């Protein structure tokens, strides 16, 4: 029985239709215009479809956590995406998802992360060649591009160790980028689907994915034949066993989970890193505090280690605050499986809910001076319980990002090591603007110059 008493305001369809172009370019201002007019719960749906936009922490927590059983991911996030990247943690639902989550979760526990720390540190050292070349040539470059390959390689090595060559890695990278573009195009312009089939583009994508499958299957075979302990994610995926059957995953399941970790595990981190480097440039006093923290940790040694993650506490505050301002996963959505009530508004089975994470992170009721970059908000003891609820960069509830601790450690190391070795200068006279695509990224990139730190 529902006790809902309110009626959700409905955004004007005429206004929406006249702003459809702006909406596809950047929906965030469109949401804000409606939030100002209608408040933190309104219906943005058109043509009889209900899409509630939610902009209150309690509403998001209700959907993700408190009553999560009543909500499911949409078919875009599951079947449609699974067609390309397979059925794994990110793209499955129900019993299958729960079984996979239970199986894979232990691989991301803190103790396991210790084994991955060295791989991450080595891979960051490997990225120096590219940065060093820019320091030497004085050339301008886009920090977003370099972050994208660096985080891709970090995930790849954490997954496969040495079982995959540089060339094979680049091939998988290309396949992921091309497939993602194809998928986003299909979702945004569903009417072109028949043409994609007729023109052979759909078949070309299937062939590409098959090529990357071959690489992944070969790497699995190679690892199985070598055996031994490698302390990477592939070891974890190969050794884990279902509680009920005592058996491991099939090759197909392994391939799906691997591809999903690739996809979920690099673009989000790359975008977060790009925004962090931008914010540090804009706030030299904060950059200096990060550098002081790293220098202190490195007294008497030349390399960081897993044990230093705790010591990089100010660096973590910087990362947390940057993800508040620029949450890489800026929104997510869910479908109601049954009737419910949120904040006094009735929800009907089949309604879509759009969870506006970006809006909650900038909500003035919870964040004083919300647009200000202030890492002290995240200093120990400073966050109120209400603010903790209003902070969801990794989602929440049972489907909380499985890679959250991995991502945080990776970013702490990246920020610390890059700030220690280089001085970056963001070039003036460029437009830096957030573009909310699948993830929130800088629309025109961020052009920088780098120099070795003296
Ligand atoms: C800054 C970096 C990252 C951010 C902001 C982020 C954010 C998120 C969010 C918001 C979700 C939940 C989506 C939803 O509920 O609709 C999610 C899920 C997921 N993330 Fe991350 N993520 C990051 C890094 C990573 C990394 C490094 C990995 C793996 C190595 C990873 C793997 C996953 C997986 C597998 C899921 C699906 C979990 C499930 O549904 O059980 N993520 N991530």
């Amino acid at each position: 029985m529902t006790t809902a008493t309110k009626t959700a305001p409905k955004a004007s369809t005429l206004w929406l239709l006249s702003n459809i172009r702006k909406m596809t370019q950047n929906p965030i201002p469109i949401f804000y215009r409606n939030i100002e007019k209608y408040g933190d719960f309104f219906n943005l749906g058109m043509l009889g479809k209900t899409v509630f936009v939610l902009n209150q922490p309690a509403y998001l927590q209700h959907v993700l956590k408190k009553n999560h059983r009543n909500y499911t991911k949409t078919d875009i996030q599951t079947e449609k995406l699974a067609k390309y990247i397979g059925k794994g943690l990110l793209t499955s639902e129900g019993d299958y998802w729960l079984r996979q989550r239970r199986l894979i979760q232990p691989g991301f526990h803190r103790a396991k992360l210790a084994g991955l720390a060295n791989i991450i540190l080595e891979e960051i050292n490997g990225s120096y060649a590219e940065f060093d070349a820019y320091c030497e040539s004085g050339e301008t470059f886009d920090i977003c591009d370099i972050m994208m390959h660096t985080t891709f390689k970090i995930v790849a090595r954490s997954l496969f160790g040495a079982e995959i060559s540089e060339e094979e890695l680049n091939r998988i990278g290309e396949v992921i980028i091309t497939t993602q573009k194809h998928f986003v195009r299909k979702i945004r312009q569903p009417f072109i689907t028949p043409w994609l089939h007729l023109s052979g583009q759909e078949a070309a994508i299937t062939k590409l994915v098959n090529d990357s499958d071959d690489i992944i299957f070969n790497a699995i075979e190679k690892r199985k034949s070598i055996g031994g302990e490698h302390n990477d994610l592939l070891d974890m995926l190969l050794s884990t066993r279902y509680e009920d059957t005592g058996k491991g995953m099939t090759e197909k399941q392994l391939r799906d989970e691997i591809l999903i970790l690739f996809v979920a595990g690099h673009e989000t981190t790359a975008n977060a890193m790009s925004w962090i480097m931008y914010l540090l440039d804009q706030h030299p006093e904060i950059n200096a505090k990060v550098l002081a923290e790293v220098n202190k940790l490195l007294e008497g040694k030349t390399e960081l280690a897993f044990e230093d993650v705790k010591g990089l506490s100010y660096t973590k505050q910087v990362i947390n605050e940057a993800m508040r301002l620029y949450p890489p996963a800026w929104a997510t959505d869910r479908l109601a499986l049954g009737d419910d009530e949120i904040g006094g508004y009735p929800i009907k089975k089949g309604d879509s809910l759009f969870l506006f994470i970006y809006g909650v992170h900038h909500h003035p009721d919870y964040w004083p001076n919300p647009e200000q970059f202030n890492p002290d908000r995240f200093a120990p003891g400073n966050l109120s319980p209400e603010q903790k609820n209003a902070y969801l960069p990794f989602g929440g509830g049972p489907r909380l990002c499985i890679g959250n601790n991995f991502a945080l450690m990776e970013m702490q190391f990246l920020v610390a090591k890059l700030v220690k070795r280089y001085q970056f200068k963001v070039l003036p006279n460029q437009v830096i603007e957030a573009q909310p695509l699948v993830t929130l990224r800088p629309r025109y990139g961020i052009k920088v110059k780098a120099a070795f730190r003296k």
Side-chain angles (χ1 to χ4, degrees):
M1 239 244 319
T2 170
T3 51
T5 50
K6 300 190 201 167
T7 307
K10 167 94 184 63
S12 152
T13 301
L14 202 64
W15 185 86
L16 281 173
L17 285 173
S18 60
N19 282 280
I20 205 92
R21 226 176 84 88
K22 283 190 193 152
M23 179 88 172
T24 44
Q25 270 175 0
N26 185 357
I28 290 181
I30 303 285
F31 290 139
Y32 272 121
R33 189 264 186 193
N34 285 291
I35 287 166
E36 250 170 51
K37 203 158 176 202
Y38 305 114
D40 290 328
F41 191 107
F42 60 90
N43 182 0
L44 190 73
M46 283 191 273
L47 310 169
K49 211 174 160 331
T50 301
V51 181
F52 291 127
V53 175
L54 278 54
N55 188 43
Q56 270 290 336
Y59 301 168
L60 270 60
Q61 296 287 354
H62 178 93
V63 175
L64 293 173
K65 208 167 173 177
K66 209 169 148 205
N67 198 19
H68 69 88
R69 284 198 176 79
N70 191 47
Y71 298 93
T72 177
K73 287 193 164 189
T74 57
D75 66 342
I76 293 179
Q77 293 186 63
T78 53
E79 288 119 65
K80 289 195 172 131
L81 184 58
K83 179 165 184 270
Y84 299 101
I85 60 172
K87 188 176 164 191
L89 274 184
L90 193 72
T91 54
S92 57
E93 267 294 346
D95 292 344
Y96 184 80
W97 165 78
L98 186 61
R99 201 155 179 258
Q100 292 304 98
R101 179 90 191 197
R102 286 201 178 127
L103 186 75
I104 296 170
Q105 180 89 52
F108 284 90
H109 281 167
R110 261 189 82 75
K112 294 278 176 186
L113 288 185
L116 294 172
N118 283 342
I119 300 181
I120 296 177
L121 289 163
E122 268 171 34
E123 218 34 64
I124 298 175
N125 292 342
S127 76
Y128 286 167
E130 208 174 348
F131 286 111
D132 285 6
Y134 284 121
C135 289
E136 279 149 19
S137 69
E139 236 180 276
T140 300
F141 62 99
D142 185 348
I143 193 111
C144 308
D145 289 344
I146 211 167
M147 287 304 165
M148 209 62 101
H149 3 133
T150 304
T151 54
F152 182 75
K153 279 192 170 175
I154 291 176
V155 172
R157 290 284 165 229
S158 306
L159 270 166
F160 288 113
E163 251 54 274
I164 199 159
S165 71
E166 199 70 19
E167 204 191 317
E168 289 172 323
L169 210 72
N170 293 338
R171 185 88 191 112
I172 300 182
E174 270 169 41
V175 173
I176 291 178
I177 292 170
T178 316
T179 313
Q180 217 168 20
K181 275 196 191 143
H182 179 83
F183 178 70
V184 169
R185 221 173 132 209
K186 261 180 91 167
I187 298 303
R188 297 217 159 164
Q189 301 161 281
F191 47 88
I192 63 168
T193 301
W195 181 75
L196 290 175
H197 281 277
L198 281 172
S199 63
Q201 291 185 55
E202 193 69 40
I205 293 286
T206 309
K207 158 117 191 27
L208 268 183
V209 175
N210 287 344
D211 286 353
S212 89
D213 281 357
D214 288 347
I215 300 174
I216 295 174
F217 285 133
N218 280 342
I220 297 173
E221 275 317 306
K222 209 161 142 195
R223 174 61 61 83
K224 277 185 175 165
S225 65
I226 299 170
E229 261 195 43
H230 303 260
N231 278 331
D232 54 21
L233 293 172
L234 185 56
D235 259 10
M236 174 277 283
L237 293 171
L238 281 171
S239 62
T240 186
R241 295 285 174 268
Y242 292 107
E243 252 175 34
D244 48 354
T245 61
K247 288 195 174 142
M249 281 187 267
T250 63
E251 296 250 311
K252 165 85 174 69
Q253 285 176 311
L254 274 168
R255 171 269 183 207
D256 285 1
E257 296 298 355
I258 287 171
L259 205 56
I260 274 171
L261 290 176
F262 261 125
V263 172
H266 84 284
E267 191 180 314
T268 37
T269 321
N271 285 328
M273 278 304 304
S274 304
W275 292 117
I276 293 165
M277 299 318 276
Y278 166 67
L279 289 164
L280 285 177
D281 170 84
Q282 305 294 299
H283 299 272
E285 68 298 348
I286 293 172
N287 194 66
K289 280 178 84 173
V290 170
L291 181 62
E293 181 170 83
V294 186
N295 280 336
K296 194 153 178 273
L297 279 175
L298 281 174
E299 263 168 30
K301 57 181 190 179
T302 53
E303 181 58 292
L304 294 168
F306 178 67
E307 295 67 45
D308 294 317
V309 169
K310 250 185 146 178
L312 289 169
S313 58
Y314 184 73
T315 307
K316 188 169 169 188
Q317 283 172 225
V318 167
I319 295 166
N320 282 333
E321 173 68 345
M323 287 200 296
R324 182 188 67 78
L325 277 178
Y326 297 105
W330 63 281
T332 186
D333 58 357
R334 294 290 191 267
L335 204 69
L337 292 170
D339 294 355
D340 192 12
E341 181 214 315
I342 300 179
Y345 296 103
I347 307 288
K348 293 257 164 289
K349 179 179 176 182
D351 287 348
S352 292
L353 284 81
F354 185 89
L355 313 187
F356 192 27
I357 295 175
Y358 180 97
V360 165
H361 281 194
H362 290 246
H363 204 302
D365 289 357
Y366 304 94
W367 305 102
N369 209 350
E371 300 311 318
Q372 188 196 19
F373 178 58
N374 174 14
D376 288 341
R377 294 182 209 267
F378 288 87
N382 274 3
L383 277 192
S384 67
E386 291 75 25
Q387 287 175 323
K388 282 183 189 158
N389 256 345
Y391 187 63
L392 304 109
F394 295 110
R399 299 211 68 146
L400 180 78
C401 173
I402 203 167
N404 60 350
N405 291 323
F406 176 99
L408 281 170
M409 173 170 81
E410 175 187 0
M411 290 191 283
Q412 279 170 292
F413 283 155
L414 265 167
V415 173
K417 283 170 74 74
L418 293 180
V419 163
K420 168 78 185 153
R421 190 173 168 93
Y422 306 104
Q423 277 175 293
F424 295 100
K425 189 76 219 115
V426 173
L427 297 191
N429 306 326
Q430 58 174 320
V431 180
I432 309 280
E433 193 182 298
Q435 182 184 29
L437 284 177
V438 179
T439 56
L440 190 70
R441 63 179 196 189
R443 182 184 293 269
Y444 310 103
I446 301 176
K447 315 273 177 317
V448 302
K449 279 194 175 216
F452 291 111
R453 186 169 292 287
K454 295 189 182 86

